Amino acid sequence: MNLKIAILAGDGIGPEVTHEAVNILQAVAEAGGHDFTFTEALLGGVAITAKGTPLPQETIDIALDSDAVLLGAVGDNKFNALSPDKRPESGLLQIRQILGGFANLRPSVAYPALSENSPLRPEVTKGVDILFVRELLGGLYFGQPRSWNKDASAPGGGEAINTMRYTRDEVVRVARIAFELAGKRRKKLTSVDKANVLECSQLWRATVDSLKSDYPDITVEHQLVDSMAMHLMNVPRNFDVVLTENLFGDILSDESGIITGSLGMLPSATIGGKVNLYEPVHGSAPDIAGTGKANPLGAILTAAMVLRHSANLEQEALAIEAAVQQVLTAGHRTADIARGNISATVTTQQMGKLVHSALAESIDRSQSLHAV
């Protein structure tokens, strides 16, 4: 297997966690005789500092010439005075648009070893395994017109406009991915909207319903977003694949960090475009950058998604996920998931090495079994 991976480590803790994810991918490549090529490029605040723009053309070229893009995190408070289109985050929105991925996959898994990290009772989170499928290129984040009239003397003291817009085709393409993924899991799809008040959501619901006959083995239910926010905390085991529009998916998938115990545990993949884009859900956390406190597990689990969705290496992806579970079960914790157990706290680099060792042991056992 040959795979070209663009590495956009970004800002804050991005380079630290991405480094650990790349180490894991290299271990998989070496063990399996694969040829993974890693090419680094600038995105976000580091790109503004070096190139004067959050997304240089060189980065675009490298990304489009790759089989997958692995991103760390984007954002730095020192750029907050810039206009929104020049801030680090605008580079992230631009690269998403350029790569064309419209389906953002965000798994939320309740790890037994972290049951005490969630404020939810263990009996509520036990066995939870949810896959959010978030539409990523439409809705309020991209709809036009959008504007902000800052003139305080204007009627009403100024005005700001954002537009939520969807076409049927945009809903169809992301819904089909959700249906197909549900077919590979527990065959249940929950579609989230606000159809009682929003025309966009009425279109969304009608479109999802129109596709049900193409997937007769999938059970489909609809939830209003406010009800879903409550049910996600009360009965998360009721959900398997959750399909949402852009804004609702952003909020709900972040909320699901309560289930896992930390946003630092959440990976994501954006698929459906020219090149798949992979990134942990957490932000750049500039306040802890360089301190060794960052949790690399979200990035490492994101590396597993690279193997699953861009390399079709399902067994290797499962091996990485099992290694993460093994390390957590052994009691190792980064600061965000330590829950006061300081003696169990390890640094970003140490956690990466622990997962690497667990993965290597798993690979050795597997190779020994194949040799028998």
Side-chain angles (χ1 to χ4, degrees):
M1 162 66 65
N2 297 320
L3 197 69
K4 294 193 295 183
I5 306 174
I7 304 298
L8 314 184
D11 306 316
I13 63 173
E16 300 166 63
V17 299
T18 303
H19 177 76
E20 302 309 323
V22 169
N23 284 346
I24 296 298
L25 288 172
Q26 287 175 328
V28 169
E30 292 169 5
H34 306 298
D35 184 12
F36 293 173
T37 301
F38 303 92
T39 305
E40 297 183 1
L42 299 176
L43 177 73
V46 291
I48 294 173
T49 299
K51 302 291 185 178
T53 175
L55 180 59
Q57 183 61 47
E58 179 184 5
T59 298
I60 296 172
D61 295 340
I62 290 172
L64 289 174
D65 189 47
S66 300
D67 300 309
V69 175
L70 178 60
L71 190 148
V74 171
D76 195 313
N77 292 334
K78 69 182 180 182
F79 298 106
N80 286 352
L82 297 177
S83 60
D85 63 320
K86 298 185 183 302
R87 292 179 188 173
E89 295 80 2
S90 70
L92 177 57
L93 294 178
Q94 290 175 55
I95 195 68
R96 286 174 177 170
Q97 284 184 303
I98 290 167
L99 297 181
F102 55 83
N104 184 226
L105 314 182
R106 291 189 172 192
S108 181
V109 177
Y111 294 94
L114 296 181
S115 60
E116 294 184 358
N117 288 65
S118 173
L120 302 178
R121 300 188 309 277
E123 60 267 29
V124 172
T125 60
K126 183 179 179 180
V128 172
D129 181 356
I130 302 172
L131 178 61
F132 289 90
V133 180
R134 168 192 172 193
E135 198 290 322
L136 201 64
L137 293 182
L140 281 173
Y141 292 178
F142 293 98
Q144 297 293 334
R146 60 187 298 154
S147 64
W148 180 14
N149 179 3
K150 301 180 183 180
D151 184 3
S153 65
E159 180 183 53
I161 298 171
N162 288 98
T163 302
M164 180 181 284
R165 177 186 180 276
Y166 275 106
T167 65
R168 184 181 186 280
D169 286 348
E170 288 174 325
V171 181
V172 165
R173 64 183 186 177
V174 70
R176 287 200 181 279
I177 284 180
F179 272 107
E180 290 163 8
L181 289 169
K184 299 175 182 177
R185 291 167 54 95
R186 301 192 300 278
K187 301 185 185 308
K188 181 179 179 181
L189 176 65
T190 302
S191 180
V192 178
D193 58 43
K194 190 63 175 170
N196 56 336
V197 294
L198 296 177
E199 285 79 3
C200 271
S201 284
Q202 291 162 16
L203 167 70
W204 186 280
R205 182 173 293 202
T207 303
V208 172
D209 280 340
S210 73
L211 298 175
K212 289 194 295 186
S213 61
D214 293 343
Y215 304 91
D217 60 332
I218 306 299
T219 300
V220 179
E221 69 171 4
H222 298 282
Q223 288 283 350
L224 297 176
V225 63
D226 40 359
S227 298
M228 183 64 187
M230 178 180 67
H231 294 323
L232 192 58
M233 295 295 96
N234 290 334
V235 286
R237 283 200 305 273
N238 286 1
F239 305 105
D240 179 19
V241 174
V242 177
L243 170 65
T244 77
E245 64 85 52
N246 205 341
L247 175 64
F248 299 161
D250 193 0
I251 295 170
L252 291 174
S253 59
D254 280 1
E255 183 190 10
S256 73
I258 296 297
I259 296 169
T260 62
S262 171
L263 278 177
M265 294 296 303
L266 301 181
S268 81
T270 300
I271 66 174
K274 304 180 187 75
V275 181
N276 292 343
L277 173 67
Y278 301 87
E279 56 183 305
V281 172
H282 62 71
S284 59
D287 56 319
I288 62 169
T291 66
K293 295 180 179 180
N295 185 347
L297 295 182
I300 290 171
L301 292 168
T302 297
M305 298 187 80
V306 172
L307 299 180
R308 174 171 291 122
H309 296 287
S310 284
N312 198 29
L313 295 174
E314 177 65 18
Q315 293 307 309
E316 288 80 352
L318 290 171
I320 292 174
E321 292 161 352
V324 168
Q325 290 232 36
Q326 180 180 330
V327 168
L328 292 174
T329 301
H332 304 292
R333 303 286 186 269
T334 47
D336 61 313
I337 53 176
R339 296 289 289 179
N341 187 5
I342 305 301
S343 62
T345 302
V346 297
T347 66
T348 307
Q349 187 177 31
Q350 288 170 335
M351 180 62 85
K353 288 181 177 179
L354 287 164
V355 176
H356 189 284
S357 295
L359 178 63
E361 292 172 6
S362 175
I363 291 172
D364 287 343
R365 286 195 301 271
S366 176
Q367 290 176 339
S368 296
L369 288 174
H370 286 307
V372 173

